[in-house]
Amino acid sequence: MNYFDIFYRAAFIDNMIFTFFFGMCSYLAVSKTVKTAVGLGAAVIFVLGVTIPVNYLLDTYVLQEGALSWLGEEYAQYDLSFLSFIMFIAVIASIVQLVEMLVEKFSPSLYGALGIFLPLIAVNCAILGGALFMQQKQFVDIGEATSYGLGAGFGWFIAIVLIAAIREKIKYSHVPAPVRGVGMAFILTGLMGLAFLGFLGF
């Protein structure tokens, strides 16, 4: 698969929100306005675009069985794959901390609007899910892993901006009381998920 195919599939076919429903907590909480949705979406693109290739290198040259053979024949028997979860989360938490510092420095208003949900990207299951899917897909080089990370982040960005734009509009519509707020957001997410099945050929 070339890089564009991997990017396209990660963004539209294997969309983190509409296909796997990963990262729903921040997706629902921060999608009340387009401005905050764009900010968080951009942060997720950056975090996925950096953590997945870093975790790919970590997995390929440290964690997999025989990955340490580059240190010498005596290390070829080691298998550190049981440390995958811990190491992936450590990388993700480090990158998220960097993003948080950058946003606070250059956009204090966005930092205030995102609130607790910016540091919570570290425990967003879409981020860890991306790293675990990267492991499962067995990409042949770091370019493919980077394309997948950027595509997955872009797919999450599209999802949160779309739902935010719709939620801004329906504030002025007559929505039945039982489904106002999160209820309507779930309905809209389900309908958009059905629409995204079109990319699979449905």
Side-chain angles (χ1 to χ4, degrees), residues 1-6 9 139 144:
M1 292 177 72
N2 63 43
Y3 298 151
F4 178 77
D5 289 340
I6 293 170
R9 184 171 187 87
F139 294 122
E144 289 189 356

Side-chain angles (χ1 to χ4, degrees), residues 7 10-12 15-16 26 36-54 92 95-96 99 103 114 118 121 124 126-127 130 145-161:
F7 179 92
F12 297 104
N15 187 283
M16 287 291 183
S26 48
T36 55
V38 167
L40 189 65
V44 168
I45 290 174
F46 179 80
V47 171
L48 277 169
V50 173
T51 57
I52 288 183
V54 170
I92 290 165
I95 300 301
V96 169
V99 170
V103 172
L114 292 175
L118 184 57
I121 293 176
N124 186 329
I127 311 296
T146 305
S147 296
Y148 176 75
L150 292 172
F154 185 67
W156 202 90
F157 174 87
I158 289 171
I160 195 170
V161 170

Side-chain angles (χ1 to χ4, degrees), residues 173-189:
S173 304
H174 177 67
V175 178
V179 292
R180 281 182 197 154
V182 176
M184 181 54 72
F186 273 117
I187 292 169
L188 291 169
T189 301

Side-chain angles (χ1 to χ4, degrees), residues 30-152:
V30 186
S31 60
K32 292 174 184 173
T33 67
V34 172
K35 182 182 177 182
T36 55
V38 167
L40 189 65
V44 168
I45 290 174
F46 179 80
V47 171
L48 277 169
V50 173
T51 57
I52 288 183
V54 170
N55 283 330
Y56 171 83
L57 293 173
L58 192 63
D59 187 53
T60 304
Y61 295 106
V62 178
L63 299 174
Q64 288 180 10
E65 185 177 359
L68 292 172
S69 58
W70 56 274
L71 288 174
E73 286 299 321
E74 64 273 22
Y75 296 99
Q77 61 184 337
Y78 290 106
D79 180 7
L80 301 178
S81 56
F82 64 93
L83 293 173
S84 292
F85 272 45
I86 297 170
M87 297 305 292
F88 288 172
I89 291 170
V91 169
I92 290 165
S94 303
I95 300 301
V96 169
Q97 187 63 43
L98 174 64
V99 170
E100 188 179 0
M101 289 189 294
L102 289 172
V103 172
E104 186 178 15
K105 171 89 174 163
F106 295 107
S107 183
S109 59
L110 179 60
Y111 180 80
L114 292 175
I116 191 65
F117 293 100
L118 184 57
L120 280 180
I121 293 176
V123 290
N124 186 329
C125 53
I127 311 296
L128 180 59
L132 296 177
F133 282 141
M134 171 273 298
Q135 248 187 341
Q136 185 185 58
K137 290 175 186 294
Q138 298 180 331
F139 294 122
V140 297
D141 58 41
I142 192 171
E144 289 189 356
T146 305
S147 296
Y148 176 75
L150 292 172

